[in-house]
């Protein structure tokens, strides 16, 4: 007898919706920052983010290393998107994932929902706990990734500003020396 699990969490991330949309839904980008995925790549010749595109995912060993194929659907860039498993995923009959990106002042409200249907009732509680942890770590890592990019940008801008100020000070010193020599 199958039982349903539904998990939904929302956080605010300091980034534009289009950036978050690509990070969360593009498989090659997602596998770089999401600690729950070991591999993610398109299947077949349709190698782009589009409705009905098939993607092959492989979870990390912590999530039993399960491999499965999913089909993208409900893609509306940059507001929403998601996928659902084509066949069962280990103890799950079906696994679906959905993302909603709502722009707001200072960032984007990101809602991540995960729905699963467990094939066996006795395995529901441990699977639900694992899926809750998966959702929480995915959202935290998304926020960390965006913050790291922002922090790197701020660091680069600060370095450029320092170099510009040093160059201006040096030019001012040389101008002062030149003015003294003329007298």
């Amino acid at each position: 007898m199958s039982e349903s699990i539904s998990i939904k969490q929302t956080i605010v991330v300091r980034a534009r919706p289009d950036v978050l949309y690509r990070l969360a839904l593009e498989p090659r980008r997602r596998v770089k920052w999401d600690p729950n995925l070991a591999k993610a790549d398109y299947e077949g010749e349709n190698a782009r983010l589009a409705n009905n595109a098939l993607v092959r995912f492989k979870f990390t060993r912590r999530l039993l290393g399960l491999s499965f194929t999913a089909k993208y659907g409900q893609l509306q860039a940059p507001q929403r998107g998601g996928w659902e498993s084509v066949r069962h995923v280990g103890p799950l009959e079906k696994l679906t994932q959905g993302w909603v990106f709502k722009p707001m002042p200072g960032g984007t409200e990101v809602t991540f929902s995960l729905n699963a249907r467990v094939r066996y009732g006795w395995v529901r509680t441990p699977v639900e706990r694992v899926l809750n942890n998966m959702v929480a770590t995915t959202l935290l890592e998304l926020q960390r990734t965006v913050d790291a990019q922002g922090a790197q940008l701020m660091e680069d801008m600060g370095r450029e500003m320092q170099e510009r100020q040093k160059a201006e000070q040096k030019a001012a010193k040389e101008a002062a020396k030149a003015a003294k020599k003329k007298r």
Side-chain angles (χ1 to χ4, degrees), residues 84-112:
E84 71 175 85
S85 62
V86 176
R87 286 180 287 288
H88 65 84
V89 181
L92 304 174
E93 250 177 54
K94 187 163 268 321
L95 180 65
T96 63
Q97 196 177 90
W99 293 86
V100 177
F101 307 97
K102 185 176 163 191
M104 58 186 305
T108 304
E109 183 182 86
V110 178
T111 303
F112 180 34

Side-chain angles (χ1 to χ4, degrees), residues 67-132:
S67 291
F68 63 98
T69 302
K71 181 170 76 172
Y72 277 106
Q74 305 168 354
L75 295 177
Q76 293 176 350
Q79 290 97 19
R80 71 178 66 241
W83 53 258
E84 71 175 85
S85 62
V86 176
R87 286 180 287 288
H88 65 84
V89 181
L92 304 174
E93 250 177 54
K94 187 163 268 321
L95 180 65
T96 63
Q97 196 177 90
W99 293 86
V100 177
F101 307 97
K102 185 176 163 191
M104 58 186 305
T108 304
E109 183 182 86
V110 178
T111 303
F112 180 34
S113 56
L114 190 91
N115 296 310
R117 203 165 45 240
V118 181
R119 290 167 35 169
Y120 316 106
W122 58 270
V123 79
R124 183 184 194 282
T125 305
V127 167
E128 187 171 16
R129 189 177 315 119
V130 167
L131 292 177
N132 264 317

Side-chain angles (χ1 to χ4, degrees), residues 41-58:
D41 209 356
Y42 291 105
E43 215 173 64
E45 67 269 356
N46 188 12
R48 65 184 192 88
L49 187 59
N51 280 319
N52 298 322
L54 293 177
V55 178
R56 187 92 181 128
F57 288 108
K58 180 176 171 81

Side-chain angles (χ1 to χ4, degrees), residues 178-183:
K180 265 188 178 179
K181 283 186 179 179
K182 284 186 177 180
R183 287 188 209 164

